[in-house]
């Protein structure tokens, strides 16, 4: 367990569990939270013993209710611009090369929804609520929401959500393709950790490559994505884990992974 002021970090075997821990502000995301998360995600990415990460929110009410409105209220446009406000989410969180899952246990609004969408996929509690309500504050999404939500659920619903600021419940989020699975709140963490452990048991380089490939579908055009896939596949065939994985299959036994 590493000490941070705004998050809890715990290693459970090969899975790192990170909990946003500002329940009094519904886990609102300020610069200190970003600094803590960047540190924890950076350590996770470098630690060979850790093979999947789960991010959740403390308390039963919120994953994160957004960027911290109290921090932003007094900031001038020049402050946002000169600090390149929100840019750190890309370098500190999105740049993580190893897999991670968001376990959304309640409100995921504004920056909270955007943070969840930075994950490789989302598991949601049946009580979860997603939304991009920034318009009600006279602003708009700033951490990727207008882009990732639109790619995840399509223009019609994303536009409606951004323009009205309405919330989407967990069932609609699953129907719309925003979340991979909805489970009762009481079993959210257990179910997410179970999936994280399964991912952690896979050959780790293959996990990183699979992540990079699927993200290429999200971020590039089809021809570029297919080329990326083919080249990454070819690189993986040079790994010891590829040799082991195929022999283990033929010998009808589980693979023993070296991670290279
Ligand atoms: N920033 C700072 N503090 C927040 C917060 C946020 N985003 N969301 C909630 N809080 C604080 C509240 O101010 C309150 O603090 P006090 O007790 O000191 O007053 C505490 O958390 C509990 O919140 P509520 O009393 O409002 O709880 P509720 O159950 O009545 O309502 C809610 C819950 C509907 C989620 C409501 O808190 C809410 O609407 N929050 C703001 C949601 C929002 O607008 N998010 C977008 C932020 S902008 C953004 O994220 C920009 C971007 O794109 C990156």
């Amino acid at each position: 367990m590493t000490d941070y002021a705004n998050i809890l970090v715990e290693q459970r075997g090969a899975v790192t569990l990170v909990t946003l821990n500002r329940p009094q502000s519904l886990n609102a995301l300020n610069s200190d939270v970003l600094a803590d998360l960047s540190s924890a995600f950076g350590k996770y990415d470098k630690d060979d013993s850790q093979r999947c990460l789960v991010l959740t929110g403390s308390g039963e009410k919120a994953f994160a209710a957004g960027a911290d409105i109290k921090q932003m209220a007094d900031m001038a446009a020049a402050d946002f611009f000169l600090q390149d406000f929100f840019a750190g989410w890309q370098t500190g969180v999105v740049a993580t090369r190893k897999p991670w899952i968001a376990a959304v246990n309640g409100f995921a609004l504004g920056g909270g929804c955007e943070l969840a969408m930075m994950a490789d996929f989302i598991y949601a509690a049946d009580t979860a609520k997603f939304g991009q309500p920034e318009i009600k504050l006279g602003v708009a999404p700033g951490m990727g929401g207008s882009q990732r939500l639109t790619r995840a659920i399509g223009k019609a619903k994303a536009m409606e959500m951004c323009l009205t600021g309405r919330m989407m419940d967990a069932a609609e989020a699953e129907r719309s393709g925003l979340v991979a699975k909805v489970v009762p709140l009481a079993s959210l963490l257990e179910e997410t950790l179970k999936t994280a452990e399964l991912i952690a048991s896979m050959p780790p380089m293959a996990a990183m490559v699979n992540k990079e490939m699927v993200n290429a579908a999200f971020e590039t055009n089809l021809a570029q994505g297919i080329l990326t896939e083919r080249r990454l596949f070819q690189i993986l065939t040079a790994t010891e884990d590829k040799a082991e994985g195929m022999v283990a299959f033929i010998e009808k036994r589980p693979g023993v992974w070296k991670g290279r």
Side-chain angles (χ1 to χ4, degrees):
M1 185 106 157
T2 316
D3 267 350
Y4 290 103
N6 302 287
I7 60 174
L8 305 170
V9 181
E10 199 185 322
Q11 291 187 349
R12 297 196 178 188
V15 176
T16 300
L17 174 63
V18 180
T19 307
L20 299 163
N21 194 30
R22 298 181 75 215
Q24 69 287 357
S25 315
L26 302 185
N27 299 321
L29 306 167
N30 62 19
S31 302
D32 295 334
V33 177
L34 172 58
D36 286 357
L37 283 178
S38 300
S39 167
F41 276 66
K43 283 186 182 153
Y44 159 64
D45 231 13
K46 287 192 191 76
D47 184 342
D48 288 343
S49 76
Q50 297 302 292
R51 297 189 170 178
C52 194
L53 180 150
V54 172
L55 177 67
T56 193
S58 61
E60 297 207 333
K61 207 166 159 184
F63 173 74
D68 194 322
I69 300 167
K70 291 166 189 164
Q71 178 183 18
M72 295 187 295
D74 294 330
M75 286 173 62
D79 299 322
F80 286 100
F81 182 79
L82 293 171
Q83 293 174 29
D84 203 2
F85 205 71
F86 298 137
W89 292 96
Q90 185 65 33
T91 48
V93 175
V94 177
T96 306
R97 295 181 68 205
K98 282 155 60 172
W100 69 278
I101 310 169
V104 173
N105 53 308
F107 291 116
L109 301 176
C113 185
E114 294 170 297
L115 175 56
M117 289 190 293
M118 289 174 203
D120 297 320
F121 58 88
I122 300 171
Y123 275 9
D126 50 1
T127 54
K129 293 227 170 0
F130 298 85
Q132 297 293 158
E134 290 91 339
I135 193 166
K136 297 184 192 170
L137 302 168
V139 287
M143 286 164 51
S146 63
Q147 307 303 299
R148 288 198 179 91
L149 188 66
T150 307
R151 280 167 163 78
I153 68 174
K155 180 184 168 186
K157 271 187 186 285
M159 187 69 92
E160 182 218 16
M161 286 183 70
C162 288
L163 287 178
T164 64
R166 82 162 172 98
M167 293 187 211
M168 177 182 262
D169 66 19
E172 186 183 2
E174 187 180 31
R175 267 199 320 274
S176 309
L178 181 59
V179 313
K181 186 152 121 176
V182 177
V183 295
L185 175 62
S187 51
L188 175 68
L189 201 55
E190 187 191 332
E191 286 291 321
T192 313
L193 286 169
K194 213 188 295 172
T195 298
E197 278 153 23
L198 180 62
I199 293 170
S201 74
M202 299 293 168
M205 251 185 84
M208 291 168 77
V209 166
N210 274 272
K211 167 174 175 153
E212 200 171 326
M213 282 182 181
V214 175
N215 281 335
F218 222 54
E219 289 160 10
T220 58
N221 64 34
L222 184 61
Q224 186 56 49
I226 284 174
L227 181 61
T228 300
E229 178 188 88
R230 202 160 62 240
R231 292 287 176 258
L232 286 172
F233 179 93
Q234 289 160 355
I235 288 170
L236 270 188
T237 61
T239 61
E240 292 177 44
D241 283 349
K242 173 263 177 190
E244 164 66 5
M246 295 199 178
V247 169
F249 173 81
I250 292 162
E251 293 177 353
K252 301 189 188 303
R253 61 169 176 82
V256 180
W257 311 123
K258 293 223 170 87
R260 51 192 305 117

